[in-house]
Coordinates of all heavy atoms in Angstrom, one line a residue:
M1106 N 0.8 -1.2 0.0 CA 0.0 0.0 0.0 C 0.9 1.3 0.0 O 0.4 2.3 -0.5 CB -0.9 0.0 1.2 CG -2.0 -1.1 1.1 SD -2.8 -1.2 -0.5 CE -3.7 0.3 -0.5
C1107 N 2.1 1.2 0.5 CA 2.9 2.4 0.5 C 3.2 2.8 -0.9 O 3.2 4.0 -1.3 CB 4.2 2.0 1.2 SG 5.4 3.4 1.4
S1108 N 3.6 1.8 -1.8 CA 3.8 2.2 -3.2 C 2.6 2.7 -3.9 O 2.7 3.6 -4.7 CB 4.4 1.0 -4.0 OG 3.4 -0.1 -4.1
F1109 N 1.4 2.2 -3.5 CA 0.2 2.7 -4.0 C 0.0 4.2 -3.6 O -0.5 5.0 -4.4 CB -1.0 1.9 -3.6 CG -2.2 2.1 -4.4 CD1 -2.4 1.5 -5.7 CD2 -3.2 3.0 -4.0 CE1 -3.5 1.8 -6.5 CE2 -4.3 3.3 -4.8 CZ -4.5 2.7 -6.0
H1110 N 0.3 4.5 -2.4 CA 0.2 5.9 -2.0 C 1.1 6.8 -2.8 O 0.7 7.9 -3.3 CB 0.6 6.1 -0.5 CG 1.0 7.4 -0.1 ND1 0.2 8.5 -0.1 CD2 2.3 8.0 0.2 CE1 0.8 9.6 0.3 NE2 2.1 9.3 0.5
H1111 N 2.4 6.3 -3.1 CA 3.3 7.2 -3.8 C 3.0 7.2 -5.4 O 3.2 8.2 -6.0 CB 4.7 6.6 -3.6 CG 5.3 6.9 -2.3 ND1 5.4 8.2 -1.7 CD2 5.7 6.0 -1.3 CE1 5.9 8.1 -0.5 NE2 6.1 6.8 -0.2
H1112 N 2.7 6.0 -5.9 CA 2.7 5.9 -7.4 C 1.4 5.4 -8.0 O 1.3 5.2 -9.2 CB 3.8 4.9 -7.8 CG 5.2 5.2 -7.2 ND1 5.9 6.4 -7.6 CD2 5.9 4.6 -6.2 CE1 7.0 6.4 -6.9 NE2 7.0 5.4 -6.1
R1113 N 0.5 5.0 -7.1 CA -0.8 4.4 -7.5 C -0.6 3.1 -8.2 O -1.4 2.7 -9.1 CB -1.6 5.4 -8.4 CG -2.1 6.6 -7.6 CD -2.9 6.3 -6.4 NE -3.4 7.4 -5.8 CZ -3.5 7.6 -4.4 NH1 -3.0 6.6 -3.7 NH2 -4.0 8.7 -3.9
Y1114 N 0.4 2.3 -7.8 CA 0.5 0.9 -8.2 C 1.2 0.2 -7.1 O 1.8 0.8 -6.2 CB 1.3 0.7 -9.5 CG 2.7 1.3 -9.6 CD1 3.8 0.6 -9.0 CD2 3.0 2.5 -10.2 CE1 5.0 1.1 -9.1 CE2 4.2 3.0 -10.3 CZ 5.3 2.3 -9.7 OH 6.6 2.8 -9.7
I1115 N 1.0 -1.1 -7.1 CA 1.5 -2.0 -6.0 C 2.8 -2.6 -6.4 O 2.9 -3.3 -7.4 CB 0.5 -3.1 -5.7 CG1 -0.9 -2.6 -5.3 CG2 1.1 -4.0 -4.6 CD1 -1.0 -1.9 -4.0
E1116 N 3.9 -2.2 -5.8 CA 5.2 -2.7 -6.1 C 6.1 -2.5 -4.8 O 6.5 -1.4 -4.5 CB 5.8 -1.9 -7.3 CG 7.3 -2.2 -7.6 CD 7.6 -3.7 -7.7 OE1 6.9 -4.4 -8.5 OE2 8.4 -4.2 -6.9
P1117 N 6.4 -3.6 -4.1 CA 7.2 -3.5 -2.9 C 8.5 -2.7 -3.0 O 8.8 -2.0 -2.1 CB 7.4 -5.0 -2.5 CG 6.3 -5.7 -3.1 CD 6.0 -5.0 -4.4
S1118 N 9.2 -2.8 -4.2 CA 10.4 -2.1 -4.3 C 10.2 -0.6 -4.4 O 11.2 0.1 -4.3 CB 11.2 -2.6 -5.5 OG 10.5 -2.3 -6.7
A1119 N 9.0 -0.2 -4.6 CA 8.7 1.3 -4.8 C 8.2 1.8 -3.5 O 7.7 3.0 -3.4 CB 7.8 1.5 -5.9
S1120 N 8.2 1.1 -2.4 CA 7.7 1.5 -1.1 C 8.8 2.2 -0.3 O 10.0 1.9 -0.4 CB 7.2 0.3 -0.3 OG 6.1 -0.3 -1.0
S1121 N 8.3 3.0 0.6 CA 9.3 3.7 1.6 C 9.6 2.7 2.7 O 10.7 2.9 3.3 CB 8.6 4.9 2.2 OG 8.2 5.8 1.2
I1122 N 8.8 1.7 2.9 CA 9.0 0.8 4.0 C 9.4 -0.6 3.5 O 8.8 -1.0 2.4 CB 7.7 0.7 4.9 CG1 8.0 -0.1 6.2 CG2 6.5 0.2 4.2 CD1 6.9 0.1 7.2
S1123 N 10.3 -1.2 4.1 CA 10.6 -2.6 3.7 C 10.7 -3.5 4.9 O 11.1 -3.0 6.0 CB 11.9 -2.6 2.9 OG 13.0 -2.3 3.7
V1124 N 10.3 -4.7 4.8 CA 10.2 -5.7 5.9 C 10.8 -7.0 5.3 O 10.4 -7.4 4.2 CB 8.8 -5.9 6.4 CG1 8.8 -6.9 7.5 CG2 8.1 -4.6 6.8
R1125 N 11.7 -7.6 6.0 CA 12.2 -8.9 5.6 C 12.4 -9.8 6.8 O 12.8 -9.3 7.9 CB 13.5 -8.7 4.8 CG 14.7 -8.3 5.5 CD 15.9 -8.2 4.7 NE 17.0 -7.6 5.4 CZ 17.8 -8.3 6.2 NH1 17.7 -9.6 6.3 NH2 18.8 -7.7 6.9
R1126 N 12.2 -11.0 6.6 CA 12.4 -12.0 7.6 C 13.8 -12.7 7.3 O 14.1 -13.1 6.2 CB 11.3 -13.1 7.6 CG 11.4 -14.1 8.6 CD 10.4 -15.2 8.4 NE 9.1 -14.7 8.3 CZ 8.1 -14.9 9.2 NH1 8.4 -15.6 10.3 NH2 6.9 -14.4 9.1
Q1127 N 14.6 -12.9 8.4 CA 15.8 -13.6 8.3 C 15.6 -15.1 8.2 O 15.0 -15.7 9.1 CB 16.7 -13.3 9.4 CG 18.2 -13.8 9.3 CD 19.0 -13.3 10.4 OE1 18.8 -13.6 11.6 NE2 20.0 -12.5 10.1
N1128 N 16.0 -15.7 7.1 CA 15.8 -17.1 7.0 C 16.3 -17.9 8.1 O 17.4 -17.7 8.6 CB 16.4 -17.6 5.7 CG 15.7 -17.2 4.4 OD1 14.5 -16.8 4.5 ND2 16.4 -17.2 3.3
G1129 N 15.5 -18.9 8.6 CA 16.0 -19.8 9.6 C 15.8 -19.2 11.0 O 16.2 -19.9 12.0
T1130 N 15.4 -18.0 11.1 CA 15.2 -17.4 12.5 C 13.8 -16.8 12.5 O 13.1 -16.8 11.6 CB 16.2 -16.3 12.7 OG1 15.9 -15.2 12.0 CG2 17.6 -16.8 12.4
E1131 N 13.5 -16.3 13.7 CA 12.2 -15.6 13.8 C 12.4 -14.1 13.8 O 11.5 -13.3 14.1 CB 11.5 -16.0 15.1 CG 11.1 -17.5 15.1 CD 10.4 -17.9 16.4 OE1 10.3 -17.1 17.3 OE2 9.9 -19.1 16.5
L1132 N 13.6 -13.7 13.4 CA 13.9 -12.3 13.3 C 13.3 -11.6 12.1 O 13.3 -12.1 11.0 CB 15.4 -12.1 13.3 CG 16.2 -12.5 14.6 CD1 17.7 -12.3 14.4 CD2 15.7 -11.7 15.8
I1133 N 12.7 -10.4 12.4 CA 12.2 -9.6 11.3 C 12.8 -8.2 11.4 O 12.9 -7.6 12.4 CB 10.6 -9.5 11.4 CG1 10.0 -10.9 11.3 CG2 10.1 -8.5 10.5 CD1 8.5 -10.9 11.5
F1134 N 13.3 -7.8 10.2 CA 13.9 -6.5 10.1 C 13.0 -5.6 9.3 O 12.5 -6.0 8.2 CB 15.3 -6.6 9.5 CG 16.2 -7.4 10.2 CD1 16.3 -8.8 10.0 CD2 17.0 -6.9 11.2 CE1 17.2 -9.6 10.7 CE2 17.9 -7.6 12.0 CZ 18.0 -9.0 11.7
W1135 N 12.8 -4.4 9.7 CA 12.1 -3.4 8.9 C 12.8 -2.1 8.9 O 13.5 -1.7 9.9 CB 10.6 -3.3 9.3 CG 10.4 -2.8 10.7 CD1 10.4 -3.5 11.8 CD2 10.1 -1.4 11.0 NE1 10.1 -2.7 12.9 CE2 9.9 -1.4 12.4 CE3 10.0 -0.3 10.3 CZ2 9.6 -0.2 13.1 CZ3 9.7 0.9 11.0 CH2 9.5 0.9 12.3
S1136 N 12.6 -1.3 7.9 CA 13.1 0.1 7.8 C 12.2 1.0 7.0 O 11.4 0.5 6.2 CB 14.5 0.0 7.2 OG 14.4 -0.4 5.8
V1137 N 12.3 2.2 7.3 CA 11.6 3.3 6.5 C 12.6 4.3 6.0 O 13.4 4.8 6.8 CB 10.6 4.0 7.4 CG1 9.8 5.1 6.7 CG2 9.6 3.0 8.0
D1138 N 12.6 4.5 4.7 CA 13.6 5.4 4.2 C 13.1 6.9 4.1 O 11.9 7.2 4.5 CB 14.1 4.9 2.8 CG 13.1 5.0 1.7 OD1 12.1 5.8 1.8 OD2 13.2 4.2 0.7
E1139 N 13.9 7.7 3.5 CA 13.6 9.2 3.5 C 12.5 9.6 2.6 O 12.0 10.7 2.6 CB 14.9 10.0 3.2 CG 15.3 9.8 1.7 CD 16.0 8.5 1.4 OE1 16.2 7.7 2.4 OE2 16.3 8.3 0.3
T1140 N 12.0 8.6 1.8 CA 10.8 9.0 0.9 C 9.5 8.9 1.6 O 8.5 9.3 1.1 CB 10.8 8.0 -0.3 OG1 10.6 6.7 0.1 CG2 12.1 8.1 -1.1
C1141 N 9.5 8.4 2.8 CA 8.2 8.4 3.6 C 7.8 9.8 3.9 O 8.5 10.6 4.4 CB 8.4 7.6 4.9 SG 7.0 7.8 6.0
D1142 N 6.6 10.1 3.5 CA 6.0 11.5 3.8 C 4.8 11.3 4.8 O 4.0 12.2 4.9 CB 5.5 12.1 2.5 CG 4.4 11.4 1.8 OD1 4.0 10.3 2.3 OD2 4.0 11.8 0.7
L1143 N 4.8 10.2 5.5 CA 3.7 9.9 6.5 C 2.4 10.0 5.9 O 1.4 10.4 6.5 CB 3.8 10.9 7.7 CG 5.1 10.8 8.6 CD1 5.1 11.8 9.6 CD2 5.2 9.4 9.2
C1144 N 2.4 9.5 4.6 CA 1.1 9.5 3.8 C 0.4 10.8 3.7 O -0.8 10.9 3.9 CB 0.2 8.4 4.4 SG 0.7 6.7 3.9
K1145 N 1.1 11.8 3.4 CA 0.6 13.1 3.2 C -0.6 13.1 2.2 O -0.5 12.5 1.2 CB 1.7 14.1 2.7 CG 1.2 15.5 2.6 CD 2.4 16.4 2.2 CE 1.9 17.9 2.1 NZ 3.0 18.7 1.6
G1146 N -1.7 13.7 2.6 CA -2.9 13.7 1.8 C -3.8 12.6 2.0 O -4.9 12.6 1.4
E1147 N -3.4 11.6 2.7 CA -4.3 10.4 3.0 C -4.9 10.6 4.4 O -4.3 11.3 5.2 CB -3.5 9.1 3.0 CG -2.6 8.9 1.8 CD -3.3 8.6 0.5 OE1 -4.6 8.5 0.5 OE2 -2.7 8.5 -0.6
P1148 N -6.0 10.0 4.6 CA -6.6 10.1 6.0 C -5.8 9.5 7.1 O -6.0 9.9 8.2 CB -8.0 9.4 5.8 CG -8.1 8.9 4.4 CD -6.9 9.2 3.7
A1149 N -5.0 8.5 6.8 CA -4.2 7.9 7.8 C -3.0 7.2 7.1 O -3.0 7.0 5.9 CB -5.0 6.8 8.5
P1150 N -1.9 7.0 7.8 CA -0.7 6.3 7.3 C -1.2 4.9 6.8 O -1.7 4.1 7.6 CB 0.3 6.2 8.4 CG -0.1 7.3 9.3 CD -1.6 7.4 9.2
W1151 N -0.9 4.5 5.6 CA -1.5 3.3 5.0 C -0.7 2.1 5.5 O -1.3 1.0 5.6 CB -1.5 3.4 3.5 CG -2.6 4.2 2.9 CD1 -3.4 5.0 3.7 CD2 -3.0 4.3 1.6 NE1 -4.3 5.6 2.8 CE2 -4.1 5.2 1.6 CE3 -2.6 3.7 0.4 CZ2 -4.8 5.5 0.4 CZ3 -3.2 4.0 -0.7 CH2 -4.3 4.9 -0.8
C1152 N 0.5 2.2 5.8 CA 1.2 1.0 6.3 C 0.6 0.6 7.7 O 0.5 -0.6 7.9 CB 2.7 1.3 6.5 SG 3.1 2.7 7.5
E1153 N 0.2 1.5 8.5 CA -0.5 1.2 9.7 C -1.9 0.7 9.5 O -2.4 -0.3 10.0 CB -0.5 2.4 10.6 CG -1.2 2.2 11.9 CD -1.3 3.5 12.8 OE1 -0.2 4.1 13.0 OE2 -2.4 3.9 13.2
K1154 N -2.6 1.5 8.6 CA -4.0 1.2 8.4 C -4.2 -0.2 7.8 O -5.2 -0.9 8.1 CB -4.6 2.2 7.4 CG -6.1 2.0 7.1 CD -6.6 3.2 6.2 CE -8.1 2.9 5.9 NZ -8.5 4.0 5.0
F1155 N -3.4 -0.6 6.9 CA -3.6 -1.9 6.1 C -2.7 -3.0 6.6 O -2.8 -4.1 6.1 CB -3.3 -1.7 4.6 CG -4.4 -0.8 4.0 CD1 -4.1 0.5 3.7 CD2 -5.7 -1.3 3.8 CE1 -5.1 1.3 3.2 CE2 -6.7 -0.5 3.2 CZ -6.4 0.8 2.9
C1156 N -2.0 -2.9 7.7 CA -1.2 -4.0 8.3 C -2.2 -5.0 8.9 O -2.9 -4.7 9.8 CB -0.3 -3.5 9.3 SG 0.6 -4.9 10.1
A1157 N -2.3 -6.2 8.3 CA -3.3 -7.2 8.8 C -3.1 -7.6 10.2 O -4.0 -8.1 10.8 CB -3.2 -8.4 7.9
Y1158 N -1.9 -7.4 10.7 CA -1.6 -7.8 12.1 C -1.6 -6.7 13.1 O -1.3 -6.9 14.3 CB -0.3 -8.6 12.1 CG -0.3 -9.8 11.2 CD1 0.2 -9.8 9.9 CD2 -1.0 -11.0 11.7 CE1 0.1 -10.9 9.1 CE2 -1.1 -12.1 10.8 CZ -0.5 -12.1 9.6 OH -0.6 -13.1 8.7
G1159 N -1.8 -5.5 12.6 CA -1.7 -4.3 13.5 C -0.3 -4.2 14.2 O -0.2 -3.7 15.3
A1160 N 0.7 -4.5 13.4 CA 2.1 -4.5 13.9 C 2.7 -3.1 13.9 O 3.7 -3.0 14.6 CB 2.9 -5.5 13.1
L1161 N 2.1 -2.2 13.2 CA 2.8 -0.9 13.1 C 1.9 0.2 13.8 O 0.7 0.1 13.7 CB 2.9 -0.5 11.6 CG 3.8 -1.3 10.7 CD1 3.7 -0.9 9.3 CD2 5.2 -1.2 11.3
R1162 N 2.6 1.1 14.3 CA 2.0 2.3 14.9 C 2.8 3.5 14.5 O 4.0 3.6 14.9 CB 1.9 2.2 16.4 CG 1.0 3.2 17.0 CD -0.5 3.0 16.8 NE -1.0 1.8 17.4 CZ -1.7 0.8 16.8 NH1 -1.9 0.9 15.5 NH2 -2.1 -0.3 17.4
V1163 N 2.2 4.4 13.7 CA 3.0 5.6 13.3 C 2.7 6.7 14.3 O 1.6 7.1 14.6 CB 2.5 6.1 11.9 CG1 3.2 7.4 11.5 CG2 2.8 5.0 10.9
M1164 N 3.8 7.2 14.9 CA 3.7 8.2 15.9 C 3.8 9.6 15.3 O 4.7 9.8 14.5 CB 4.8 8.0 17.0 CG 4.8 6.6 17.6 SD 3.3 6.2 18.4 CE 3.5 7.1 19.9
P1165 N 2.9 10.5 15.7 CA 3.0 11.9 15.1 C 4.2 12.6 15.5 O 4.8 12.3 16.5 CB 1.7 12.5 15.5 CG 1.3 11.8 16.8 CD 1.9 10.4 16.6
Ligands
SF4_1220 S1 3.5 6.3 6.4 FE1 3.9 4.2 5.8 S2 2.7 3.9 3.9 FE2 2.9 6.1 4.3 S3 4.7 6.8 3.1 FE3 5.4 6.3 5.1 S4 6.1 4.2 5.1 FE4 4.8 4.5 3.3

C-alpha cells in the first residue's frame, strides 16, 4: 500500500517501508527510508491502516 500511496501501483520495491524475515530465524527487520511522507494527503498512514496484524503504529 505504501507504493500505491506514492505511485498508484502496488510494487514492494517502490515502497518507503521494507520488511524482511531472516531465513531460519524468527527475526524480522524493517526500515523506513527518507521517501516516507507519513502518507501526506491520505486520511491515515497506510502502512499502519492496512497491516493485517496491527504490527505498526505511526507516531505523530
Ligand atoms: S507512512 Fe507508511 S505507507 Fe505512508 S509513506 Fe510512510 S512508510 Fe509509506
Side-chain angles (χ1 to χ4, degrees):
M1106 293 314 293
C1107 183
S1108 65
F1109 195 82
H1110 161 67
H1111 288 301
H1112 309 290
R1113 295 302 185 222
Y1114 57 80
I1115 304 290
E1116 171 51 55
S1118 66
S1120 294
S1121 302
I1122 189 168
S1123 66
V1124 181
R1125 70 180 174 84
R1126 181 189 305 249
Q1127 188 174 61
N1128 286 341
T1130 75
E1131 295 182 353
L1132 294 176
I1133 295 174
F1134 297 90
W1135 64 275
S1136 63
V1137 179
D1138 69 24
E1139 71 283 355
T1140 62
C1141 172
D1142 62 1
L1143 296 175
C1144 281
K1145 184 177 181 182
E1147 311 288 358
W1151 283 11
C1152 55
E1153 177 182 308
K1154 180 178 178 181
F1155 291 103
C1156 178
Y1158 300 98
L1161 294 174
R1162 192 72 66 233
V1163 177
M1164 305 301 283

